[in-house]
Amino acid sequence: MPDFIYLASQSPRRRQLLEQLGVRHELLLPNVEGDEAEDAEAIEVVLPGEAPTAYVERVTALKLDAAVARRARRQLPDAPILCSDTTVALGRTIYGKPDDAAHAARMLAELAGREHQVLTAVALQAEGQRLAALSVSRVRFGTMTPAQIAAYVASGEPLGKAGAYGIQGPVAQYVENLDGSYTGIMGLPLFETAGLLRAAGVLG
């Protein structure tokens, strides 16, 4: 077994969390141009009537499929490949990454004062075996005034994040209650991830 894994994610938070586990890793990211160009955004399109759990598990599996093919195409050394995807859900409504600042503000206004779910799926491909896990957490935001939402959106942090927020940033001041995995809300649930890595022989 190699002494490293591939992380198929552009999220710096996932890198930091893997480092917290002491797992050596290399990034395995899609090319956005050239012969190898991959349309990563197409994978994240929600299917009609799709439930949040089914969505996040399907997207994670598709991202892992793409990463496995990418490693083979680039003729890189064989090593376990880790993928993860996070989505925010209010009931059956899925909140992905906002399109722009106005979209982010609308999302936050809908989440303010209410409880929502944060679902993070993790998948690991190792020696022909695929392992998967799901972390589901509940987060309740207190009320947020339009001015508070505008100030947070102006910081730029909501862009590129599911549900238009990062739990580790300034929005934490509005988190009234959190039930579940803090690292899962960040994007990589360490308890579940460590379990997969142990099953694959990467962690002791």
Side-chain angles (χ1 to χ4, degrees):
M1 179 67 69
D3 64 349
F4 74 98
I5 69 169
Y6 292 109
L7 175 63
S9 172
Q10 301 189 48
S11 164
R13 294 168 302 285
R14 291 192 178 114
R15 294 199 69 181
Q16 292 163 5
L17 289 166
L18 261 189
E19 286 163 6
Q20 203 173 318
L21 288 180
V23 175
R24 197 165 80 80
H25 60 279
E26 296 180 9
L27 295 182
L28 182 59
L29 303 179
N31 281 356
V32 292
E33 55 188 35
D35 296 335
E36 240 187 75
E38 295 177 42
D39 189 358
E41 288 187 6
I43 289 175
E44 298 183 357
V45 173
V46 181
L47 300 179
E50 192 169 28
T53 298
Y55 168 77
V56 75
E57 291 179 334
R58 178 181 63 82
V59 168
T60 302
L62 289 173
K63 285 184 175 181
L64 186 51
D65 289 343
V68 169
R70 192 180 309 139
R71 186 206 65 78
R73 192 166 58 242
R74 295 178 187 173
Q75 300 182 321
L76 296 171
D78 194 14
I81 303 172
L82 181 71
C83 261
S84 185
D85 190 70
T86 300
T87 197
V88 167
L90 188 61
R92 287 180 63 89
T93 303
I94 293 169
Y95 289 70
K97 298 168 187 171
D99 299 328
D100 51 31
H103 189 202
R106 284 200 308 276
M107 282 188 185
L108 290 164
E110 290 171 15
L111 295 176
R114 306 174 76 179
E115 182 179 271
H116 61 271
Q117 285 190 322
V118 182
L119 305 95
T120 297
V122 187
L124 180 73
Q125 184 83 23
E127 296 183 338
Q129 182 183 21
R130 181 165 295 199
L131 305 167
L134 177 69
S135 166
V136 181
S137 301
R138 292 192 298 276
V139 178
R140 181 177 181 84
F141 281 170
T143 56
M144 297 174 71
T145 66
Q148 288 168 335
I149 290 173
Y152 181 56
V153 171
S155 74
E157 188 176 81
L159 299 179
K161 293 183 175 65
Y165 74 90
I167 193 74
Q168 71 281 4
V171 82
Q173 66 189 294
Y174 303 112
V175 176
E176 185 178 317
N177 189 61
L178 185 161
D179 181 12
S181 168
Y182 185 82
T183 54
I185 297 167
M186 283 181 68
L188 189 69
L190 290 189
F191 180 81
E192 288 81 359
T193 301
L196 299 186
L197 294 172
R198 283 192 197 98
V202 176
L203 275 181

